[in-house]
Amino acid sequence: MGDGRLEIDRISKRFGDVIALKETTFDVRAGELFGFVGSNGAGKTTTMRIALGVLAADAGEVRYDGTPINLETRRHIGYMPEERGLYPKMKVAEQLVYLARLHGLGTAAARRSMEDWTERLGVAARRDDEVQKLSLGNQQRVQLAAALVHNPTILVLDEPFSGLDPIAVEVMSKVLLDKANDGIPVVFSSHQLELVERLCHRVGIIRNGQMVAVGTVDDLRAGGTVEMVVDAPGAPKGWADGLAGVTVRAHEGNRTILELGDGADDQEILRAALATGPVTEFSRRRPSLTELYRNVVSQGDEA
C-alpha cells in the first residue's frame, strides 16, 4: 500500500556538457505544500518536467504512492508550466472542457468542473472570451483552472504566483491550501520567498542541480545563526564589543543586531545593555527564509 507521496529519487540530467541535475532527491507528502526554491537555471523546471514525463531523466526515478510514475499516473497530475500553455484563440470554457476530457472526464463532468473552477477562480464572466483577450492576471487564473479541471491527485506548479496581483495571490494560495487539505501532494516553485515561508509545510532549496537544504522553515532556521535585537537608546556604539561569543552585525537606529555564537550568554548581554541606561527591546530572532536562502545559495557559485 502506498502513502500518497510524490518521490523524486536521485534524478540526474545532462544537456550536452551542462549538468542540469545531479542526484536530486526530495519527496512531497500527501496533504503537503512543498515550496521549491532556487535561482534561475538551478534545475527547478527541469525537475518538474521530468516528474511530468515531458523530459526523460538520465538516471533516477520518480514515484507516486510507491510506484514509478507511468502514463496512467501522469493523467492524474495537474501541471502549470512556467511558459503558460493555453491556446490563445480558444475560448476559456471550450479550452477547459477540452483539457478535462483529454484527461479522461466525460463531457458533462468536464463542463461541471469547468464551471466550478472558473467560478472559484473569479473568471466565470470570461468563459466566452478568447484567452488572448484576457489580462495577464486572468490568463494566470485560467492556467490554474487548466491544472485543476481534471481533478488531479498531484499538483506540480511552476511559478504559479508570478505576475499576480495581491487579490489573485490570495485566491491562488487558498486553492493550493484547500488541495493540500484534501490530501494531495502539492509542489510549487516560486521566487517569492515570503509567500513560500507563509504557505509551505516544507521547503527545498536547489543550487546548481543539487538539493542543498530540505526541511520545514523552522528546521532550516535551527541550523542558521541566532540573532539578538537590542534597543538601548542611550548605548554608545561599541557597547557590545568584547562580549564573549557576540558579533555586532548592524546598527539600525537605536537597535543593535547581534549574532550569537558559542559561549554567548544573553544575560551577560542584557547586563551590558542595562549598564548604558534603559533597554526597550531585547529579543532573539531566527533568520527569515530569504536570509537562509541567501546564505545557502551564496555558499557556492551560481549556475
Side-chain angles (χ1 to χ4, degrees):
M1 178 63 197
D3 53 11
R5 275 191 309 162
L6 176 66
E7 296 173 87
I8 310 291
D9 187 10
R10 290 169 301 177
I11 295 289
S12 294
K13 181 71 183 174
R14 293 178 78 107
F15 296 104
D17 293 336
V18 177
I19 297 171
L21 295 175
K22 189 173 177 187
E23 298 205 337
T24 297
T25 298
F26 64 93
D27 68 340
V28 186
R29 297 157 192 171
E32 175 175 66
L33 265 179
F34 186 93
F36 194 25
V37 301
S39 52
N40 292 332
K44 301 185 302 294
T45 297
T46 303
T47 303
M48 291 180 166
R49 286 178 175 164
I50 288 170
L52 223 78
V54 177
L55 272 179
D58 299 333
E61 190 172 60
V62 181
R63 291 185 295 274
Y64 172 63
D65 217 20
T67 309
I69 281 191
N70 56 29
L71 201 59
E72 183 48 41
T73 325
R74 288 197 183 102
R75 291 180 71 177
H76 298 289
I77 297 178
Y79 178 52
M80 190 167 173
E82 187 177 16
E83 62 307 314
R84 308 303 182 212
L86 299 168
Y87 299 106
K89 291 190 188 324
M90 212 168 173
K91 289 179 177 170
V92 169
E94 205 182 324
Q95 173 131 168
L96 294 174
V97 169
Y98 166 73
L99 290 171
R101 293 193 64 198
L102 200 62
H103 283 83
L105 264 65
T107 309
R111 180 118 207 128
R112 271 197 310 275
S113 186
M114 175 278 291
E115 288 170 354
D116 179 37
W117 282 112
T118 50
E119 197 69 54
R120 277 189 73 180
L121 291 166
V123 283
R126 300 274 176 257
R127 285 175 191 157
D128 294 327
D129 292 356
E130 289 179 9
V131 169
Q132 64 187 4
K133 301 228 163 81
L134 302 182
S135 67
L136 284 176
N138 279 339
Q139 285 188 30
Q140 189 96 320
R141 291 173 190 230
V142 174
Q143 187 80 59
L144 181 62
L148 294 161
V149 73
H150 57 288
N151 304 319
T153 47
I154 307 165
L155 273 181
V156 176
L157 311 170
D158 202 353
E159 291 290 340
F161 292 99
S162 69
L164 288 187
D165 63 76
I167 291 170
V169 166
E170 287 310 310
V171 170
M172 181 89 73
S173 302
K174 179 151 183 11
V175 168
L176 300 192
L177 287 165
D178 287 349
K179 283 288 154 194
N181 288 335
D182 289 345
I184 289 175
V186 179
V187 56
F188 72 89
S189 66
S190 181
H191 288 298
Q192 287 155 274
L193 299 183
E194 301 80 11
L195 201 59
V196 172
E197 184 166 3
R198 179 161 62 85
L199 288 179
C200 291
H201 302 101
R202 285 189 310 137
V203 177
I205 301 176
I206 189 169
R207 185 186 74 220
N208 298 346
Q210 287 182 287
M211 297 303 284
V212 287
V214 179
T216 66
V217 174
D218 283 346
D219 287 344
L220 300 182
R221 277 178 171 156
T225 56
V226 179
E227 289 182 343
M228 184 147 258
V229 180
V230 184
D231 190 341
K237 272 204 167 69
W239 68 268
D241 294 348
L243 290 170
V246 173
T247 311
V248 178
R249 278 277 160 246
H251 293 284
E252 299 169 359
N254 292 331
R255 302 159 96 219
T256 307
I257 314 300
L258 306 173
E259 185 181 312
L260 308 190
D262 292 341
D265 176 351
D266 54 7
Q267 294 308 303
E268 189 187 335
I269 298 166
L270 180 58
R271 278 193 294 274
L274 284 167
T276 71
V279 173
T280 56
E281 183 183 358
F282 187 78
S283 59
R284 280 173 180 253
R285 74 172 184 192
R286 290 281 183 186
S288 67
L289 182 58
T290 305
E291 291 166 311
L292 286 170
Y293 173 77
R294 205 179 294 125
N295 293 343
V296 165
V297 168
S298 65
Q299 285 164 17
D301 295 324
E302 280 300 329

